[in-house]
Amino acid sequence: MAFLCQIRTDGSRGESWEVSHRPLVVGRGNCADACIDDDSLSRSHFLIIREHEEFFLIDLDSRNGTWVDGEPVSARKLSPNENIMAGQSLFCFLLERALVVRPILALLPEFAVAAGSRRQTV
């Protein structure tokens, strides 16, 4: 079982969504499984799919891109505890809900700078 956890701007864990055999679509649109209140996200921004015991992130041609651990990606295999930035939102990919999210506060200033430099009109 895997989870996508939203990280709040103060570094605490926000809402989380289970990633099961069905793809998890993340975006700001009502059709997204993980509907995020973030105008810099596309309606369907990225998805996470499971293939056997591996998980993959696929950017859905979003305007502002998707970043995994600071690197822009269009598609990538996910590893546990990787951080995902999309629009102005930050997430962590976990294999167990009970795991502690690795220290995010150190990433927040870097995230704010990176998000600001990527900001575009959606």
Side-chain angles (χ1 to χ4, degrees):
M1 197 173 316
F3 298 90
L4 180 69
C5 297
Q6 188 173 24
I7 306 302
R8 296 183 182 118
T9 55
D10 67 358
S12 65
R13 184 185 298 186
E15 192 169 352
S16 65
W17 301 269
E18 183 178 345
V19 182
S20 61
H21 294 288
R22 192 169 142 305
L24 176 75
V25 176
V26 179
R28 65 177 166 82
N30 292 334
C31 63
D33 302 304
C35 186
I36 310 298
D37 184 20
D38 179 347
D39 289 338
S40 61
L41 286 178
S42 297
R43 287 181 180 87
S44 295
H45 198 96
F46 69 89
L47 66 83
I48 298 176
I49 61 170
R50 178 180 181 172
E51 290 186 12
H52 305 287
E53 297 304 312
E54 298 179 321
F55 297 87
F56 298 87
L57 180 144
I58 300 169
D59 182 85
L60 298 173
D61 294 323
S62 63
R63 287 189 180 213
N64 293 325
T66 303
W67 303 64
V68 176
D69 281 346
E71 295 187 25
V73 298
S74 56
R76 174 184 164 149
K77 178 181 170 184
L78 288 172
S79 297
N81 297 319
E82 286 190 307
N83 294 305
I84 301 164
M85 293 187 295
Q88 297 290 314
S89 298
L90 180 62
F91 305 89
C92 187
F93 176 73
L94 302 170
L95 289 184
E96 295 182 34
R97 188 187 310 252
L99 288 176
V100 175
V101 175
R102 69 180 163 144
I104 296 295
L105 288 175
L107 289 174
L108 290 176
E110 176 184 313
F111 170 62
V113 169
S117 68
R118 293 189 328 263
R119 180 175 252 167
Q120 298 176 7
T121 304
V122 179

